[in-house]
Amino acid sequence: MKKGAYAVIFSNRLRDPAPGYDDTKDRILALAEIQPGYLGHMAVRDADRMGVTVSYWESEDAIKAWKAQAEHATARRMGREKFYEWFRLEVCRIERFYDFEAGR
Amino acid sequence: MKKGAYAVIFSNRLRDPAPGYDDTKDRILALAEIQPGYLGHMAVRDADRMGVTVSYWESEDAIKAWKAQAEHATARRMGREKFYEWFRLEVCRIERFYDFEAGR
């Protein structure tokens, strides 16, 4: 990712069960990908239902517009009411970055 | 976490196998926890060997001191040579945050 871009770190634990979560997640990721200013994401969930999703955005304004997107707002309410035991969300400005690929 | 603190987002995929990884990881996390300026971390790895570890730090200076810690420097070299297919590391400043706990 690039310096000056923003990362949104979403750490969470799913409830067990969390009916409807997978469909909602797929829909919201598809919407994020067509949202202005979206730069990409990385999502990992382990067998203990702990997850981290990091999404990357051009600017704080892009993050605010995404937060206000109607279907995303509905999904976030479902997240609080139905899907998550807890979550934490941090909006961060990327100061520097480094990457590595074996054998490159 | 708190505004003005720093998050280091470490996204990666482990090799298969990655002998020695678990012991090294446990040792490095134990060292991080006694490092000045360390505020906490969250680590998730899925069944496909994809992982995200977010560590939190008081300042950029604390991150630089941790990077220079001798045993950590050795472990990072082992990471490149033995453990990871690829990784990405982003150093970010936390601008704002939000958390949620069900039933709270």
Side-chain angles (χ1 to χ4, degrees), chain A:
Chain A
M1 213 37 60
K2 58 190 184 182
K3 181 173 162 70
Y6 284 78
V8 178
I9 306 169
F10 182 63
S11 310
N12 61 80
R13 190 174 194 214
L14 278 182
R15 298 186 202 179
D16 183 17
Y21 168 74
D22 283 333
D23 287 348
T24 301
K25 176 201 66 177
D26 291 346
R27 171 70 180 154
I28 292 302
L29 286 178
L31 287 172
E33 285 172 0
I34 57 172
Q35 186 73 13
Y38 169 86
L39 297 174
H41 80 276
M42 164 91 180
V44 175
R45 184 171 305 284
D46 71 15
D48 198 34
R49 311 192 312 278
M50 304 275 280
V52 177
T53 297
V54 185
S55 62
Y56 298 95
W57 300 87
E58 283 282 1
S59 66
E60 285 221 72
D61 283 348
I63 295 169
K64 285 173 187 163
W66 171 235
K67 185 176 178 185
Q69 201 271 5
E71 201 169 340
H72 182 213
T74 300
R76 287 189 293 110
R77 191 172 63 241
M78 290 171 68
R80 290 188 297 271
E81 292 175 358
K82 295 185 177 181
F83 299 150
Y84 297 113
E85 283 184 7
W86 57 263
F87 62 76
R88 261 190 356 230
L89 185 148
E90 287 133 4
V91 176
C92 310
R93 183 177 184 279
I94 297 175
E95 303 290 335
R96 48 203 172 84
F97 65 95
Y98 178 68
D99 59 24
F100 163 82
E101 192 172 333
R104 186 176 57 180

Side-chain angles (χ1 to χ4, degrees), chain B residues 48-60:
Chain B
D48 197 34
R49 311 194 311 281
M50 303 276 279
V52 178
T53 297
V54 185
S55 61
Y56 298 95
W57 300 87
E58 284 281 1
S59 65
E60 285 220 73

Side-chain angles (χ1 to χ4, degrees), chain B residues 73-92:
Chain B
T74 301
R76 289 189 293 110
R77 190 173 63 243
M78 290 172 67
R80 290 189 297 272
E81 292 175 359
K82 295 184 178 180
F83 299 151
Y84 297 112
E85 285 184 6
W86 58 262
F87 63 76
R88 259 189 358 228
L89 186 148
E90 287 134 5
V91 176
C92 310

Side-chain angles (χ1 to χ4, degrees), chain B residues 1 4-6 8 19-20 25 31-32 38 42 45 55 59 63 73 76 96 98 102:
Chain B
M1 216 35 63
Y6 284 78
V8 178
K25 175 200 66 177
L31 287 172
Y38 169 86
M42 164 91 181
R45 184 170 305 284
S55 61
S59 65
I63 294 169
R76 289 189 293 110
R96 49 203 171 83
Y98 178 68

